[in-house]
Amino acid sequence: MKYLYFPGCSLKNYAKRYEETAVAVAKALGIELIELKRWNCCGAVSGLAEDSVFHHIAAVRDLVRAQEQLDEADSNKLVTVCSMCYRVLASVNNRLKHNPEDLDTINEFMSPEEYNGGIEVVHLLQIIKDDIGFDRIAEFTKKDLSNIKVAPYYGCVLVRPKETAIDDPNEPTILEELIKSTGATAVENPLRTECCGSYNVVTNRELVKHRILNLLKPIMRENIDFLISVCPLCTFNLEFGIKANKKELHGREIPVLYFTEFLALAFGLDDKLEKEVLQAVNI
Amino acid sequence: MTVKITLSLPKKVFEISGENVYLCYQCGKCSAGCPIADKMDYLPNQVIHFVQMNNEKALSTKMIWACAECFNCTVICPRGLDVTKVMEALRIIVLRKGIYKLDLNKVEKIEELPQIALIAASRKLTG
Ligand code: SF4
Ligand code: SF4
C-alpha cells in the first residue's frame, strides 16, 4: 500500500530517529510512505479561536500539497508520525470540512491555490491498527520480548480533544495492544494520557521537571525497561525530566523510545536504531 | 439556544471562542484534572469565575499562560464548557493588544530546545 506522508520539522531534525524507524518499520509491514514533495511546518499547535482562520493557513498549504500528489497514492489518507503534526493537520482539516465558510475564506486568501477538503489525516498508529492489523505485528516480530516490560505514554495530543482523538480519550488501548502484539508486557500506567508540560519547557523548565517526576512516580515501583512515546515534544520533556530528576529517581535512567523504535527493535531492524538507543535498552 | 451575554469580558470570550462561560457551575473538576494548576496562582475554575464576574484579573493570571492546552479540562467538564478554548480566548484578548509573553532573546540555553517547543511556544505566547 502506498500512502502520502507528511514528516514535519521535528522528524527531519531533533527526532531523526523517529523518522528513520517509522519509514523502516512501515516498509517491513508493506507500507510505502511517499513523502510530500513540498511541505512546510504545520505550526505545531493550532489556533482555537472561532473568529479567525489565520493560524490554519500553514496546515492548509500542506493539505493542498497532499491533494496535488493524490494520484501517486492508493488512498486519500495523509499519514503523519509526529503526534503534534497529526493533531494540527487533523483539526484544521475537520474544521474546514465542517465549516464551508472558513474554507471559502482560506481559499480566497490562497487563490489560485484551492483546497477541496478531500484529504483524510491519519496517524501511523491508525494505519498499523486499521489497515495492517496488530496480528501482523506478531508475525513480523523476530525477537523474544517476553521478559521486556514497557510503560506506554500517550501524552495528550493523540487522545484529546475528542474530535481528533485516535482512541478513547480516557482509556486508550492502542499502544498497549501494539506492545502486547510483540510479546512484551505493557505495564499499567495510570498517568499515560496526562500532559508532559508541553511548550512550557521554553519558559519554565522547573514546571516541566516537576511534571515529569509526577508522571513517573506511579510507575517507579515497576521494573520497567523503557517508556514508549509517540511525540517528539513528549520525548524531549521526558528525557529532560528524567535527567533533571536524577536524584529524585535514585539515579535510574529510564530510556524513552518512540513506538517505531520499539517496533524496529522487535522486528530485528537493529541497523535502523541509533547506537545510544540500542545500548540503553540492551536487548 | 440563543445566548444573551451582556457583560464585556464574557462577551469577548464568547465572540472569540463561541463558549458561554455561564455554563460553568464551579464544580472544580477542571482544576482537579489540570496538570499545571498545582504550581499556579489561580486554578482554571477560578479563572472561569473571574470571567463570569467580568473581572479583568482573569487576563493577568499566570494560569492562562502556563496552560499547556492539554484539553483535560475540556474532556472532564460535566457542563460541556470547552475550558481550553476559554483559556485560549483569554490569551488572545491580551495578544491582540500587541502584548506578548515570550522573548526568544531571553530564553536561557535556547540551543538545547527542540524547534517543536519553540514553534509551539511562539504561536501560543506571541501574536
Ligand atoms: S469542570 Fe466545568 S463546570 Fe466544573 S468548574 Fe470547571 S468549567 Fe466549571
Ligand atoms: S488545557 Fe490548560 S487549563 Fe485545561 S487542564 Fe490542560 S493545562 Fe489545565
Coordinates of all heavy atoms in Angstrom, one line a residue, chain B residues 24-77:
Chain B
C24 N -20.7 27.1 33.3 CA -19.9 26.6 34.4 C -20.6 26.8 35.7 O -21.0 27.9 36.1 CB -18.5 27.3 34.5 SG -17.6 27.1 36.0
Y25 N -20.7 25.7 36.5 CA -21.3 25.8 37.9 C -20.3 25.6 39.0 O -20.6 25.2 40.1 CB -22.6 24.9 38.0 CG -22.4 23.4 37.7 CD1 -21.2 22.8 37.7 CD2 -23.6 22.7 37.6 CE1 -21.1 21.4 37.4 CE2 -23.5 21.3 37.3 CZ -22.3 20.7 37.3 OH -22.2 19.3 37.0
Q26 N -19.0 25.8 38.6 CA -18.0 25.9 39.6 C -17.8 24.6 40.4 O -17.6 24.6 41.6 CB -18.2 27.1 40.6 CG -17.9 28.4 39.9 CD -16.4 28.6 39.5 OE1 -15.5 28.2 40.2 NE2 -16.2 29.2 38.4
C27 N -17.8 23.5 39.8 CA -17.6 22.2 40.5 C -16.2 22.0 40.8 O -15.8 21.2 41.7 CB -18.2 21.1 39.7 SG -17.3 20.7 38.2
G28 N -15.3 22.6 40.0 CA -13.9 22.4 40.3 C -13.2 21.2 39.6 O -12.0 21.0 39.8
K29 N -13.9 20.4 38.8 CA -13.4 19.2 38.2 C -12.2 19.6 37.3 O -11.2 18.9 37.2 CB -14.4 18.5 37.5 CG -15.3 17.5 38.3 CD -16.1 16.6 37.4 CE -16.3 15.3 38.1 NZ -16.7 14.3 37.1
C30 N -12.4 20.7 36.5 CA -11.3 21.0 35.6 C -10.0 21.3 36.3 O -9.0 20.9 35.8 CB -11.8 22.3 34.8 SG -12.3 23.7 35.8
S31 N -10.1 21.9 37.5 CA -8.9 22.2 38.2 C -8.3 20.9 38.8 O -7.1 20.8 38.9 CB -9.2 23.2 39.4 OG -9.7 24.4 38.8
A32 N -9.2 20.0 39.2 CA -8.7 18.8 39.8 C -7.9 18.0 38.8 O -6.9 17.3 39.1 CB -9.8 17.9 40.3
G33 N -8.3 18.1 37.5 CA -7.6 17.3 36.5 C -6.5 18.0 35.8 O -5.8 17.5 34.9
C34 N -6.3 19.3 36.1 CA -5.3 20.1 35.4 C -3.9 19.8 35.8 O -3.6 19.9 37.0 CB -5.6 21.6 35.6 SG -4.3 22.7 34.8
P35 N -3.0 19.4 34.9 CA -1.7 19.0 35.3 C -0.8 20.2 35.7 O 0.3 20.0 36.3 CB -1.1 18.3 34.0 CG -1.9 19.0 32.9 CD -3.2 19.3 33.4
I36 N -1.2 21.4 35.4 CA -0.3 22.5 35.6 C -0.8 23.3 36.9 O 0.0 24.0 37.5 CB -0.5 23.5 34.4 CG1 -0.2 22.8 33.1 CG2 0.4 24.8 34.6 CD1 1.3 22.4 32.8
A37 N -2.0 23.2 37.2 CA -2.6 24.0 38.2 C -1.9 24.1 39.6 O -1.9 25.1 40.2 CB -4.1 23.7 38.4
D38 N -1.3 23.0 40.0 CA -0.8 22.9 41.4 C 0.4 23.9 41.5 O 0.8 24.3 42.6 CB -0.3 21.5 41.8 CG 0.8 20.9 40.9 OD1 0.9 21.3 39.8 OD2 1.6 20.1 41.4
K39 N 1.0 24.4 40.4 CA 2.1 25.3 40.5 C 1.6 26.7 40.2 O 2.5 27.6 39.9 CB 3.2 24.9 39.6 CG 3.9 23.6 40.0 CD 4.9 23.9 41.1 CE 5.6 22.6 41.5 NZ 6.2 22.7 42.9
M40 N 0.3 27.0 40.1 CA -0.2 28.2 39.6 C -0.7 29.2 40.6 O -1.0 28.7 41.7 CB -1.2 28.0 38.5 CG -0.6 27.5 37.2 SD 0.5 28.7 36.5 CE 2.0 27.7 36.5
D41 N -0.9 30.4 40.2 CA -1.5 31.4 41.2 C -3.0 31.2 41.3 O -3.6 31.2 42.4 CB -1.3 32.8 40.7 CG -1.6 33.0 39.2 OD1 -1.9 32.1 38.5 OD2 -1.5 34.2 38.7
Y42 N -3.7 30.9 40.2 CA -5.2 30.7 40.3 C -5.5 29.4 39.5 O -4.8 29.1 38.5 CB -6.0 31.8 39.7 CG -5.9 33.1 40.5 CD1 -5.0 34.1 40.2 CD2 -6.6 33.2 41.7 CE1 -4.9 35.2 41.0 CE2 -6.6 34.3 42.5 CZ -5.7 35.3 42.1 OH -5.5 36.4 42.9
L43 N -6.5 28.7 39.9 CA -6.9 27.4 39.3 C -7.8 27.7 38.1 O -8.4 28.8 38.0 CB -7.7 26.6 40.3 CG -7.0 26.3 41.6 CD1 -8.0 25.7 42.6 CD2 -5.8 25.3 41.4
P44 N -7.9 26.8 37.2 CA -8.7 27.0 36.0 C -10.2 27.4 36.4 O -10.7 28.4 35.8 CB -8.7 25.7 35.3 CG -7.4 25.1 35.6 CD -7.1 25.5 37.0
N45 N -10.8 26.8 37.3 CA -12.2 27.2 37.7 C -12.2 28.6 38.3 O -13.2 29.3 38.1 CB -12.8 26.2 38.6 CG -12.3 26.3 40.1 OD1 -11.1 26.0 40.3 ND2 -13.1 26.6 41.0
Q46 N -11.1 29.0 38.9 CA -11.1 30.4 39.4 C -11.0 31.4 38.3 O -11.6 32.5 38.3 CB -10.0 30.6 40.4 CG -10.2 29.8 41.7 CD -9.0 29.9 42.6 OE1 -7.8 29.6 42.2 NE2 -9.2 30.2 43.9
V47 N -10.2 31.0 37.3 CA -10.1 31.9 36.1 C -11.5 32.0 35.4 O -11.9 33.1 35.1 CB -9.1 31.3 35.1 CG1 -9.1 32.1 33.8 CG2 -7.7 31.3 35.7
I48 N -12.2 30.9 35.3 CA -13.5 30.9 34.7 C -14.4 31.8 35.6 O -15.2 32.6 35.1 CB -14.1 29.5 34.6 CG1 -13.2 28.6 33.8 CG2 -15.5 29.6 34.1 CD1 -13.2 28.8 32.3
H49 N -14.3 31.7 36.9 CA -15.1 32.5 37.8 C -14.8 34.0 37.6 O -15.8 34.8 37.5 CB -14.9 32.1 39.2 CG -15.9 32.6 40.2 ND1 -15.7 33.3 41.4 CD2 -17.3 32.7 40.0 CE1 -16.8 33.6 41.9 NE2 -17.8 33.3 41.2
F50 N -13.6 34.4 37.4 CA -13.2 35.8 37.2 C -14.0 36.3 35.9 O -14.5 37.4 35.9 CB -11.7 36.0 36.9 CG -10.9 35.9 38.2 CD1 -9.6 35.4 38.2 CD2 -11.3 36.5 39.4 CE1 -8.8 35.3 39.3 CE2 -10.6 36.4 40.6 CZ -9.3 35.8 40.5
V51 N -14.0 35.4 34.9 CA -14.6 35.8 33.6 C -16.1 36.0 33.9 O -16.7 37.0 33.5 CB -14.4 34.8 32.5 CG1 -15.0 35.3 31.2 CG2 -12.9 34.6 32.3
Q52 N -16.7 35.0 34.6 CA -18.2 35.1 34.9 C -18.5 36.4 35.6 O -19.5 37.0 35.4 CB -18.6 33.9 35.8 CG -18.6 32.6 35.1 CD -18.9 31.5 36.0 OE1 -18.4 31.5 37.2 NE2 -19.5 30.4 35.5
M53 N -17.5 36.9 36.5 CA -17.8 38.1 37.2 C -17.3 39.3 36.5 O -17.2 40.4 37.1 CB -17.0 38.0 38.6 CG -17.5 36.9 39.5 SD -19.1 37.3 40.2 CE -20.1 36.0 39.6
N54 N -16.9 39.1 35.2 CA -16.4 40.3 34.4 C -15.2 40.9 35.0 O -15.0 42.1 34.9 CB -17.5 41.3 34.2 CG -17.3 42.2 33.1 OD1 -16.6 41.9 32.1 ND2 -17.8 43.5 33.2
N55 N -14.4 40.1 35.7 CA -13.2 40.6 36.4 C -12.0 40.4 35.5 O -11.6 39.3 35.2 CB -13.1 39.8 37.7 CG -11.9 40.4 38.6 OD1 -11.1 41.1 38.1 ND2 -12.0 40.0 39.9
E56 N -11.4 41.6 35.1 CA -10.2 41.5 34.2 C -9.0 40.8 34.8 O -8.0 40.6 34.1 CB -9.9 42.9 33.7 CG -11.0 43.7 33.0 CD -10.7 43.9 31.5 OE1 -9.5 43.9 31.2 OE2 -11.7 44.0 30.8
K57 N -9.1 40.5 36.0 CA -8.0 39.8 36.7 C -7.7 38.5 35.9 O -6.6 38.0 35.9 CB -8.4 39.5 38.1 CG -7.2 39.3 39.0 CD -7.6 39.3 40.5 CE -6.3 39.0 41.3 NZ -6.6 39.1 42.7
A58 N -8.7 37.9 35.3 CA -8.5 36.7 34.5 C -7.4 36.8 33.5 O -6.7 35.9 33.3 CB -9.8 36.4 33.8
L59 N -7.2 38.0 33.0 CA -6.2 38.3 31.9 C -4.8 38.4 32.5 O -3.9 38.3 31.7 CB -6.6 39.6 31.2 CG -8.0 39.6 30.5 CD1 -8.2 41.0 29.9 CD2 -8.0 38.5 29.4
S60 N -4.7 38.6 33.8 CA -3.3 38.7 34.3 C -2.9 37.5 35.2 O -1.9 37.5 35.9 CB -3.2 40.0 35.1 OG -4.1 40.0 36.1
T61 N -3.7 36.4 35.1 CA -3.3 35.2 35.9 C -2.1 34.5 35.2 O -2.1 34.5 33.9 CB -4.5 34.2 36.0 OG1 -4.9 33.8 34.7 CG2 -5.6 34.8 36.8
K62 N -1.3 33.9 36.0 CA -0.2 33.0 35.4 C -0.8 31.8 34.7 O -0.3 31.3 33.7 CB 0.7 32.5 36.5 CG 1.7 33.5 36.9 CD 2.7 32.8 37.8 CE 3.5 33.8 38.6 NZ 3.9 33.3 39.9
M63 N -1.9 31.4 35.2 CA -2.6 30.2 34.7 C -2.8 30.2 33.2 O -2.5 29.2 32.5 CB -3.9 29.9 35.5 CG -4.6 28.6 35.2 SD -3.7 27.1 35.6 CE -3.8 26.2 34.1
I64 N -3.3 31.3 32.7 CA -3.7 31.2 31.3 C -2.5 31.1 30.4 O -2.6 30.5 29.3 CB -4.6 32.5 30.8 CG1 -3.8 33.8 31.0 CG2 -5.9 32.5 31.6 CD1 -4.5 35.0 30.3
W65 N -1.3 31.5 30.9 CA -0.1 31.4 30.0 C 0.6 30.1 30.2 O 1.3 29.7 29.3 CB 0.8 32.6 30.3 CG 0.1 33.9 30.1 CD1 -0.4 34.8 31.0 CD2 -0.2 34.4 28.8 NE1 -1.0 35.8 30.4 CE2 -0.9 35.6 29.0 CE3 0.0 34.0 27.4 CZ2 -1.4 36.4 28.0 CZ3 -0.5 34.8 26.4 CH2 -1.2 36.0 26.7
A66 N 0.4 29.5 31.3 CA 1.1 28.2 31.5 C 0.2 27.0 31.0 O 0.7 25.9 30.8 CB 1.4 28.0 33.0
C67 N -1.1 27.3 30.8 CA -2.0 26.3 30.3 C -1.3 25.7 29.1 O -1.0 26.3 28.1 CB -3.3 26.9 29.9 SG -4.3 25.9 28.8
A68 N -1.2 24.4 29.1 CA -0.5 23.7 28.0 C -1.4 23.1 26.9 O -1.0 22.4 26.1 CB 0.3 22.5 28.6
E69 N -2.6 23.6 27.0 CA -3.6 23.2 26.0 C -3.7 21.7 25.9 O -3.7 21.1 24.8 CB -3.2 23.8 24.7 CG -4.4 24.2 23.8 CD -3.9 24.9 22.5 OE1 -3.7 26.1 22.6 OE2 -3.7 24.2 21.5
C70 N -3.9 21.0 27.1 CA -3.9 19.6 27.1 C -5.3 19.0 26.9 O -5.5 17.8 26.8 CB -3.3 19.0 28.3 SG -4.3 19.2 29.8
F71 N -6.3 19.9 27.0 CA -7.7 19.5 26.9 C -8.3 18.6 27.9 O -9.3 18.0 27.7 CB -8.0 18.9 25.5 CG -7.9 19.9 24.3 CD1 -6.7 20.1 23.7 CD2 -9.1 20.6 24.0 CE1 -6.7 21.0 22.6 CE2 -9.0 21.5 22.9 CZ -7.8 21.7 22.2
N72 N -7.6 18.4 29.0 CA -8.1 17.6 30.1 C -9.4 18.2 30.6 O -10.4 17.5 30.8 CB -7.1 17.5 31.2 CG -6.8 16.1 31.7 OD1 -7.6 15.2 31.3 ND2 -5.8 15.9 32.5
C73 N -9.3 19.5 30.9 CA -10.5 20.2 31.5 C -11.7 20.1 30.5 O -12.8 19.9 31.0 CB -10.1 21.6 31.7 SG -9.3 22.4 30.3
T74 N -11.4 20.2 29.2 CA -12.5 20.2 28.2 C -13.2 18.8 28.3 O -14.4 18.7 28.2 CB -11.9 20.5 26.8 OG1 -11.4 21.8 26.9 CG2 -12.9 20.3 25.7
V75 N -12.4 17.7 28.3 CA -12.9 16.4 28.3 C -13.7 16.1 29.6 O -14.7 15.4 29.6 CB -11.8 15.4 28.1 CG1 -12.3 13.9 28.3 CG2 -11.2 15.5 26.7
I76 N -13.2 16.7 30.7 CA -13.8 16.4 32.0 C -15.0 17.2 32.4 O -15.9 16.7 33.1 CB -12.7 16.8 33.1 CG1 -11.8 15.5 33.4 CG2 -13.2 17.4 34.3 CD1 -10.7 15.8 34.4
C77 N -15.2 18.4 31.9 CA -16.2 19.3 32.4 C -17.6 18.7 32.2 O -18.1 18.4 31.1 CB -16.1 20.7 31.6 SG -17.5 21.8 32.1

